[in-house]
Amino acid sequence: MQNKTLNLSRRELIKNFGLGAVALSGLFGASHKAFAKNAQHIVMVGGGIGGATFAKYLRFADADVKITVIEPNKEYITCLRTNELMVDLHTLDDLTFSYDTLRNSYGIQFLFDSVTDVDFDKKQLRTAQGEQISYDKLVLSPGIDFRFEDYEGLTADVAANHVPHAYIAGPQTLLLRDQVQSMPKGGTFILSPPAGEFRCPPGPYERASMFAEWMQKHNPSGKILILDPKNTHSKFGPFRKGWERLYGFGTDNSIIEWVALDEGGKVTAIDPTRKTVKTENGTEIKYDACNIIPNQRAGKIVQHLGLTDSSGWCPIKRNTFESEIQKHVYVLGDSSIADAMPKSANAANTQAKVAAKAIVAELKGETPGNAIFSNACFSLVGSRYGISVSAIYEVRDGLIKPKGKSAGVSPIVDSPAQAALEAVYQKNWHRTFVKDVFG
């Protein structure tokens, strides 16, 4: 895979897109005012990265609009950096954020509940606790749902208790950590990434990397077997080079073995009782710990509301993220069809900012402008070895595409300082990013 170097400095990208909220937050003090009865009401379903960013930046754009976020959890645990948590570099508390600042400083109302149905004609929604809420604009950022049915023997219950996907931060994160760390000496950890589009394309390979580093220290005779339903993967070149440098990839002593689709890597079935997986070519492989990250689709609520198409994702208007199926309804983040943009936290963050600006323009009777998006995604191949991918995106020919020559991955260079510096960037970026969302 040929790597492109960026014309746009990653440092500048982080600076320009990570510090936006810090610069803007001074414009808004605590907002405890009572909103006018005729104030426009924007309801946000989902308080994750996309939802929290949208609510905050909508307030930046309009001090008078009424904003309600409906979210079942009173705190949010970021999936970001959970791969480090599983090798004891973080705790769940380190990755848990409250909504207090959004409520107290920006006048955003939170209802800790779940939406059960929406009447699009009446612009009303109902919640599990029996609330009925009217809206002027409805925005959803519900994340992902899993296609357990694509694997014989895999169900939501099996994932929760035996074969964790650990792709939503929480109990499964800790379960997978404990399973891998308690493997017998010389044991095998099987990791099966998803096919098709899925949240955080580099995530499975970062996970394998961090467990490989842990096993070097604690279980050096153990093996990580990546059974992949694809013939390449995100940041393939930089990951491969990092594995070669750190874990002997490509040699007989490699901790990591990667089996591509054409080599029989697609997992089709699992037997958690016998601790075996079966691949498409009928090969049965025994494991000591297993992480099947299932194929994915849009979150359950947008499926239920009929906002998805045959792809399983939500078609949207690219400059505003308004649904192509229902007017006055918007879908952000992982659930949306965003073309060249990956399903990442940073993508959801920038999509939310674009949607907030577009909605305010529409409320004022103005035409939303042409959208510009960004994404910067950092991954660790080791605790001190980082790689990244980044791009600026524009809407062109009706699709979201990289702008100019902005898109690229970490260059493969001989100097170890490059990878060490990218690991530092990752840590600093995360600190700034969560402040932008929740601070």
Side-chain angles (χ1 to χ4, degrees):
M1 177 178 177
Q2 183 177 3
N3 297 312
K4 299 178 182 177
T5 56
L6 296 181
N7 290 348
L8 180 69
S9 159
R10 282 186 176 77
R11 184 177 297 176
E12 287 302 311
L13 183 64
I14 299 164
K15 177 180 179 181
N16 291 337
F17 290 93
L19 299 180
V22 178
L24 287 171
S25 60
L27 300 176
F28 295 87
S31 178
H32 300 288
K33 70 178 184 180
F35 293 98
K37 288 185 178 180
N38 62 347
Q40 298 281 350
H41 188 199
I42 314 302
V43 175
M44 177 73 236
V45 178
I49 298 298
T53 302
F54 172 81
K56 181 176 180 178
Y57 274 79
L58 183 65
R59 174 60 69 230
F60 286 165
D62 192 326
D64 297 317
V65 69
K66 180 181 177 182
I67 306 168
T68 300
V69 177
I70 302 176
E71 161 60 41
N73 301 303
K74 294 185 177 181
E75 295 179 312
Y76 182 74
I77 306 173
T78 68
C79 289
L80 305 169
R81 307 195 79 175
T82 52
N83 289 332
E84 296 168 73
L85 182 156
M86 286 186 277
V87 293
D88 301 326
L89 297 179
H90 294 296
T91 67
L92 274 182
D93 286 345
D94 296 333
L95 307 181
T96 301
F97 298 89
S98 80
Y99 297 110
D100 290 350
T101 299
L102 297 180
R103 287 189 294 180
N104 298 332
S105 297
Y106 302 108
I108 297 166
Q109 299 178 358
F110 276 77
L111 176 62
F112 296 110
D113 200 348
S114 299
V115 172
T116 57
D117 213 347
V118 177
D119 186 324
F120 294 115
D121 293 329
K122 293 182 179 180
K123 291 188 177 181
Q124 290 182 336
L125 58 82
R126 289 177 291 280
T127 74
Q129 296 177 17
E131 297 284 344
Q132 186 166 295
I133 301 169
S134 298
Y135 65 84
D136 294 286
K137 300 282 188 181
L138 176 64
V139 188
L140 303 102
S141 187
I144 53 173
D145 183 32
F146 298 99
R147 296 181 177 271
F148 295 112
E149 67 274 14
D150 290 354
Y151 311 80
E152 181 184 343
L154 186 62
T155 64
D157 181 69
V158 168
N161 297 290
H162 305 288
V163 187
H165 55 69
Y167 234 58
I168 295 176
Q172 288 195 28
T173 309
L174 303 180
L175 177 59
L176 182 59
R177 177 199 64 185
D178 294 345
Q179 287 180 348
V180 174
Q181 292 193 13
S182 62
M183 285 197 313
K185 299 301 181 184
T188 298
F189 168 49
I190 289 179
L191 188 153
S192 172
E197 290 190 82
F198 62 96
R199 166 184 283 173
C200 190
Y205 310 100
E206 180 188 65
R207 181 171 292 178
S209 303
M210 298 310 294
F211 276 129
E213 184 177 70
W214 186 90
M215 288 168 65
Q216 268 187 333
K217 300 174 183 176
H218 304 284
N219 191 354
S221 59
K223 296 292 181 183
I224 296 174
L225 179 59
I226 304 174
L227 298 175
D228 208 324
K230 304 178 294 300
N231 285 320
T232 187
H233 59 75
S234 183
K235 306 179 192 171
F236 179 86
F239 265 116
R240 184 184 185 95
K241 179 56 67 174
W243 291 347
E244 290 172 357
R245 289 171 172 169
L246 301 177
Y247 311 121
F249 185 70
T251 71
D252 291 340
N253 296 320
S254 176
I255 292 178
I256 296 175
E257 180 181 354
W258 177 61
V259 182
L261 172 64
D262 287 349
E263 299 168 337
K266 183 179 180 180
V267 171
T268 58
I270 183 165
D271 185 336
T273 302
R274 296 174 55 236
K275 288 194 169 184
T276 61
V277 299
K278 185 180 291 185
T279 62
E280 191 173 38
N281 61 12
T283 302
E284 192 171 83
I285 306 170
K286 192 164 182 62
Y287 64 81
D288 295 286
C290 184
N291 177 209
I292 293 181
I293 305 169
N295 300 335
Q296 296 167 20
R297 58 191 161 207
K300 290 181 179 179
I301 184 62
V302 288
Q303 294 176 53
H304 172 68
L305 296 176
L307 298 175
T308 58
D309 64 14
S310 59
S311 70
W313 306 101
C314 298
I316 48 88
K317 299 175 183 178
R318 272 55 171 186
N319 276 308
T320 64
F321 274 69
E322 184 177 16
S323 168
E324 290 186 343
I325 296 174
Q326 291 288 347
K327 285 184 64 65
H328 308 296
V329 177
Y330 301 73
V331 183
L332 310 174
D334 296 338
S335 283
S336 66
I337 297 174
D339 309 317
M341 291 191 78
K343 296 185 182 301
S344 72
N346 202 331
N349 173 268
T350 189
Q351 291 163 9
K353 294 170 183 176
V354 165
K357 184 177 180 181
I359 285 175
V360 169
E362 290 174 358
L363 293 177
K364 295 178 179 179
E366 302 170 355
T367 301
N370 294 327
I372 295 291
F373 307 92
S374 69
N375 182 62
C377 179
F378 294 90
S379 301
L380 293 179
V381 187
S383 55
R384 297 183 180 180
Y385 191 114
I387 59 177
S388 63
V389 60
S390 56
I392 305 296
Y393 299 89
E394 63 183 350
V395 180
R396 193 169 69 250
D397 302 323
L399 299 174
I400 299 175
K401 301 179 180 181
K403 183 176 176 62
K405 297 180 179 180
S406 67
V409 299
S410 300
I412 298 175
V413 297
D414 292 332
S415 171
Q418 168 75 26
L421 188 58
E422 295 240 36
V424 174
Y425 284 167
Q426 196 256 29
K427 295 176 176 64
N428 290 334
W429 171 84
H430 181 263
R431 186 182 305 112
T432 302
F433 182 74
V434 293
K435 183 173 180 61
D436 180 35
V437 177
F438 299 104

